[in-house]
Amino acid sequence: MADPAVEGKRLSRSFGWLAFLGTLLVVAGLVGLVYTGVATLTSMILFGWLLLIGGIVGLLHAIESRGTNFFWLAVVVAALNIAAGVVVIHHPHGTAEALTMFAALLFLTGGLFRLVGSVVVRGPQFGWTLLQGAFGLLLGLLVLFDWPHSSLYVLGLFFSLALLFDGLGLIALGVGGRHVVSMVSDQRASGELPDTATEGRQKRSKS
């Protein structure tokens, strides 16, 4: 059985790395919020490489499973991913414009459906749903009216906010985990918790 002290140090170190990774994500998110144009371009290039790598992996997997009923479908999907990845990598600005337009339309349709649904249903969450619908509709109109200039900052803004909140979540998880490990170690050192390794050795010696 592993020594609880060693195991506690290992867990504390792992949670520390999580907190460190979260800090890096927070810093990247804050930098992205300042330089939204760079964040947009970076997110598009990353998106393109993800499509390209995913398409190559899918194509290799399809080749390995040739002879199955879904072989040609897997090949077509992989080829589409590869082609889309190449296009996004070579034309990140055009891709950002297209995705920004798509996001604006999603905001508009989602906000409109929430507005209509809240008025028709009038459920217990009527006010909150109405507010969500109005906010989505307003955001979609703002992005759409400023298009294509909005494509320079909208996606970068969302990408940076995602990095920021993911980083804060990792920091909270890492700091909280280290705190719990420290509490358990302190309680075991003070005798409030039994030392499972010592108990195990005592049981084996008795048997």
Side-chain angles (χ1 to χ4, degrees), residues 52-127:
L52 183 60
I53 295 173
I56 293 174
V57 172
L59 184 60
L60 294 176
H61 181 71
I63 293 174
E64 290 179 356
S65 60
R66 58 184 177 276
T68 61
N69 296 329
F70 302 101
F71 169 71
W72 287 110
L73 177 61
V75 170
V76 171
V77 172
L80 289 175
N81 284 334
I82 292 174
V86 171
V87 170
V88 172
I89 292 172
H90 283 82
H91 303 283
H93 295 289
T95 305
E97 290 181 1
L99 289 179
T100 302
M101 173 65 75
F102 181 68
L105 294 177
L106 281 180
F107 289 138
L108 285 173
T109 54
L112 187 61
F113 275 115
R114 282 191 175 92
L115 281 175
V116 174
S118 63
V119 172
V120 173
V121 176
R122 290 185 176 273
Q125 301 294 328
F126 168 73

Side-chain angles (χ1 to χ4, degrees), residues 21-31 163-169 171:
L21 178 60
T23 303
L24 291 180
L25 291 180
V26 168
V27 171
L30 292 175
V31 172
L163 289 178
L164 180 62
F165 287 118
D166 287 345
L168 290 174
I171 290 174

Side-chain angles (χ1 to χ4, degrees), residues 146-172:
D146 198 32
W147 189 86
H149 181 262
S150 58
S151 63
L152 298 176
Y153 59 85
V154 169
L155 298 178
L157 179 63
F158 292 158
F159 180 65
S160 301
L161 287 175
L163 289 178
L164 180 62
F165 287 118
D166 287 345
L168 290 174
L170 286 178
I171 290 174

Side-chain angles (χ1 to χ4, degrees), residues 185-200:
S185 300
D186 291 343
Q187 289 179 357
R188 182 176 286 117
S190 62
E192 297 179 17
L193 287 179
D195 192 334
T196 54
T198 304
E199 286 185 351

